[in-house]
Amino acid sequence: MLDIVIDKKQDEARQGEAFATALNNLFTKKFYIESYGCQMNFADSEVVASILHQNAFGSTTNFQEADIIFINTCSIREKAEQTVRKRLTEFRSIKKYNPGLLIGVLGCMAERLKSKFLEEEKLVDIVVGPDAYRSLPSLIAEAESGQKGVNVLLSRDETYSDISPIRLNSNGVTAFVSIMRGCNNMCSFCVVPFTRGRERSREPESIINECKNLFAEGYREVTLLGQNVDSYYWQNSSTDAVVSFAKLLEKVAQISPLLRVRFSTSHPKDITDEVLFTMKKYENICKYIHLPVQSGSTRILQMMNRTYTREWYLSKVNRIKELLPGCGLSTDVITGFCTETDEDHKETLSLMEYCEYDLAYMFFYSERPGTLAARRFADDVPEEIKKKRLQEVVALHRNQSLRSMQKEVGKIVKVLIEGNSKKSNEHWYGRSDNNKVVVFHKINNLQKGDYANVFIESCTAGTLIGKIK
Ligand code: SAH
Ligand code: SF4
Ligand code: F3S
């Protein structure tokens, strides 16, 4: 009996020593993280960085000196997955001369492929889905002992609300703040509900505190992120008080008039007048709305399960233009969705002409395994037609966006300075309230994070060029 006790004590001592050594090792370990996909994935990488820092990992921006390389992946289109696979091939070649290197796949592609990833990409050591980042330290430990570390469990309540993200590649002025996760809409083309799970909102106090802290650290713009921000919903369990998206927006805007507030993405079926009135009420809520339409044809919208019609969408756009004149408007468009005819396509073009988008993200349809569309409809528009229609949409948008830039020439716009212009250290780079890039010559004692009233003298398709008057 005594022997056993002594043995146990020795064992504990040995374990303690091993733990201390492991911890020591961990302190010297560095991770590198590369992100793909939407802003939410970039925000998640900052949560991952925070979890790893808390567990004594240091970060590096040079993957050559990393002990662990993470790639935070996107599955939205086939091409996004191909990009990730290509990058993995490059990382794999580093592993040849650094066999101790661990490679971890995070995010949506990890969630979609789960442990299949390990069969397909043998040199991947860790596979972690978007709701399982808290388990990273233990999965790393498993991988270090030669096992594969996998956790792709989705959660109904994980929002990482208590984790203060570590800002990666930050300009120190603008930051993303996640307000919800997952998506309950079942747009038939979309993989997100499968990779990100059920929609859940983050507790408002933690959002407001994160924004307050950012402001105190010198940040001057926050972008509130969710796949469908208008369905943000929080009910206080003791008072039953409800916080809607409009309320949350108001609370964040009240932190300081010097803190700009943006948000993305709004769903046309859910954006409310209350949100538009809140935007109108606060000068510091930027007048810019990303309102993805996907298609201008009601028949296609129905097949996409977007749950609005062309007319409904146009009525929302009219309301925005009526309540918020000059408000920037952007969209996402998909060409060549299942059964799309030339007529449907023309309806997309005519809708775009009407809406005069300032910015558009345009894609041709890419069938995603497991989605409603993949199960129900044939992907029957030939690739060359999808691409031809995409070119037409892009060409139309290019003209429109140039016109929308030209409209700003001659105006004075309020710019938040984000840093040096890419082309010259003698120019500042910033954005206007309605999200247009502005470049202007440095004068006075202006700093990054300051606001400047800039007179716009000329423009290119992507940039307004001005000077301080
Ligand atoms: N939650 C946002 C969109 C997130 S995905 C919303 O509801 O609008 C970003 C964009 O990718 C979508 O708006 C859509 O235009 C595009 N997209 C999504 N799935 C796609 C697919 N299978 N093929 C092509 N584009 C797709
Ligand atoms: Fe995908 Fe639709 Fe959800 Fe956007 S709203 S993430 S397109 S399912
Ligand atoms: Fe891609 Fe996932 Fe975002 S699929 S677009 S990274 S939610």
Side-chain angles (χ1 to χ4, degrees):
M1 188 66 188
L2 193 64
D3 277 358
I4 296 170
V5 171
I6 290 169
D7 268 1
K8 203 176 158 210
K9 281 236 154 91
Q10 280 176 343
D11 200 38
E12 272 170 9
R14 268 198 302 269
Q15 274 180 11
E17 245 170 65
F19 180 67
T21 321
L23 202 64
N24 222 15
N25 284 344
L26 289 182
F27 265 100
T28 62
K29 297 257 156 83
K30 288 204 176 79
F31 70 91
Y32 166 84
I33 188 162
E34 200 167 282
S35 311
Y36 293 84
C38 62
Q39 292 162 334
M40 256 161 284
N41 240 22
F42 284 75
D44 276 4
S45 292
E46 300 186 334
V47 166
V48 167
S50 176
I51 292 170
L52 294 176
H53 272 265
Q54 279 166 22
N55 286 275
F57 287 83
S59 56
T60 172
T61 51
N62 174 7
F63 64 79
Q64 305 279 3
E65 63 168 42
D67 301 283
I68 312 177
I69 292 179
F70 286 114
I71 178 158
N72 196 355
T73 60
C74 173
S75 281
I76 202 83
R77 285 167 291 275
E78 169 89 39
K79 193 154 166 266
E81 293 201 351
Q82 280 166 1
T83 311
V84 167
R85 292 209 192 260
K86 221 169 118 218
R87 196 66 176 135
L88 277 175
T89 318
E90 284 160 25
F91 290 148
R92 208 175 298 147
S93 62
I94 308 172
K95 208 164 170 166
K96 280 195 193 120
Y97 61 82
N98 178 6
L101 174 73
L102 295 180
I103 297 181
V105 177
L106 312 176
C108 292
M109 207 174 158
E111 191 61 52
R112 193 177 84 73
L113 291 166
K114 305 190 169 54
S115 45
K116 236 172 93 191
F117 224 126
L118 299 172
E119 292 156 30
E120 292 175 16
E121 305 275 350
K122 296 254 177 324
L123 287 171
V124 168
D125 306 282
I126 300 169
V127 176
V128 190
D131 285 348
Y133 295 143
R134 287 182 202 268
S135 64
L136 268 169
S138 61
L139 295 173
I140 293 170
E142 269 177 41
E144 279 174 331
S145 70
Q147 294 159 273
K148 301 280 181 184
V150 184
N151 188 348
V152 286
L153 288 175
L154 286 172
S155 157
R156 280 187 172 256
D157 48 22
E158 178 64 274
T159 57
Y160 301 111
S161 66
D162 57 318
I163 293 176
S164 301
I166 303 252
R167 307 291 159 184
L168 299 165
N169 308 318
S170 167
N171 58 13
V173 179
T174 60
F176 295 129
V177 175
S178 251
I179 63 164
M180 58 207 294
R181 299 181 71 80
C183 183
N184 282 358
N185 296 314
M186 275 287 180
C187 301
S188 62
F189 52 79
C190 185
V191 79
V192 173
F194 304 94
T195 60
R196 297 244 157 197
R198 304 291 293 169
E199 179 186 287
R200 67 224 94 123
S201 296
R202 177 178 168 190
E203 195 240 323
E205 280 312 306
S206 75
I207 298 170
I208 291 151
N209 285 339
E210 187 175 325
C211 295
K212 278 185 181 160
N213 291 340
L214 284 165
F215 184 69
E217 287 165 28
Y219 285 81
R220 290 295 174 264
E221 182 182 296
V222 289
T223 303
L224 308 180
L225 293 181
Q227 291 296 357
N228 180 5
V229 288
D230 303 287
S231 62
Y232 178 88
Y233 180 90
W234 184 268
Q235 185 161 32
N236 186 306
S237 52
S238 41
T239 63
D240 279 356
V242 168
V243 180
S244 62
F245 178 59
K247 280 271 161 338
L248 180 75
L249 201 53
E250 174 154 53
K251 281 170 190 263
V252 177
Q254 284 170 342
I255 292 173
S256 165
L258 289 177
L259 181 68
R260 270 188 174 177
V261 189
R262 296 185 187 275
F263 55 88
S264 186
T265 297
S266 301
H267 195 298
K269 81 174 159 65
D270 292 323
I271 190 165
T272 59
D273 266 9
E274 199 193 353
V275 167
L276 302 182
F277 280 118
T278 309
M279 290 175 76
K280 198 177 174 71
K281 186 168 163 198
Y282 292 90
E283 200 255 346
N284 57 326
I285 304 180
C286 292
K287 306 299 176 279
Y288 181 83
I289 299 178
H290 184 56
L291 199 68
V293 66
Q294 315 299 358
S295 167
S297 150
T298 296
R299 188 183 71 83
I300 294 292
L301 287 170
Q302 267 163 1
M303 286 180 69
M304 287 176 162
N305 202 22
R306 287 292 285 184
T307 71
Y308 54 83
T309 60
R310 174 189 175 94
E311 289 67 35
W312 169 277
Y313 183 89
L314 290 175
S315 71
K316 290 287 170 184
V317 170
N318 288 342
R319 191 73 175 142
I320 292 168
K321 292 189 192 252
E322 176 194 335
L323 289 178
L324 303 167
C327 181
L329 188 67
S330 61
T331 200
D332 294 345
V333 173
I334 299 177
T335 63
F337 185 67
C338 315
T339 79
E340 188 188 69
T341 61
D342 268 337
E343 282 312 305
D344 295 315
H345 171 59
K346 281 189 189 126
E347 289 202 77
T348 299
L349 293 172
S350 69
L351 180 136
M352 289 179 78
E353 268 178 45
Y354 180 85
C355 295
E356 299 187 312
Y357 294 110
D358 298 281
L359 197 65
Y361 301 91
M362 297 155 285
F363 318 97
F364 66 85
Y365 174 57
S366 161
E367 186 180 76
R368 308 310 294 130
T371 54
L372 290 181
R375 284 185 272 144
R376 279 192 202 152
F377 312 126
D379 180 11
D380 57 359
V381 178
E383 186 149 321
E384 65 274 16
I385 297 198
K386 286 180 182 175
K387 287 187 174 164
K388 185 178 148 278
R389 290 181 186 160
L390 178 62
Q391 277 169 5
E392 287 173 19
V393 162
V394 169
L396 168 64
H397 175 63
R398 202 169 283 150
N399 280 336
Q400 286 194 315
S401 71
L402 180 62
R403 244 178 288 142
S404 107
M405 297 299 268
Q406 285 163 344
K407 276 193 208 151
E408 303 291 313
V409 175
K411 289 187 189 160
I412 293 175
V413 300
K414 187 173 169 187
V415 178
L416 171 60
I417 302 174
E418 292 179 26
N420 288 333
S421 127
K422 270 184 220 138
K423 288 195 187 142
S424 131
N425 284 348
E426 286 168 18
H427 289 77
W428 287 123
Y429 162 99
R431 272 174 303 144
S432 65
D433 177 80
N434 60 6
N435 211 22
K436 292 191 157 66
V437 168
V438 182
V439 169
F440 62 99
H441 206 273
K442 289 182 182 174
I443 51 157
N444 309 333
N445 296 325
L446 288 171
Q447 300 291 327
K448 213 165 81 157
D450 286 344
Y451 290 95
N453 287 321
V454 179
F455 175 73
I456 304 302
E457 292 183 309
S458 61
C459 72
T460 65
T463 310
L464 299 176
I465 301 148
K467 68 172 182 197
I468 301 237
K469 269 217 153 167

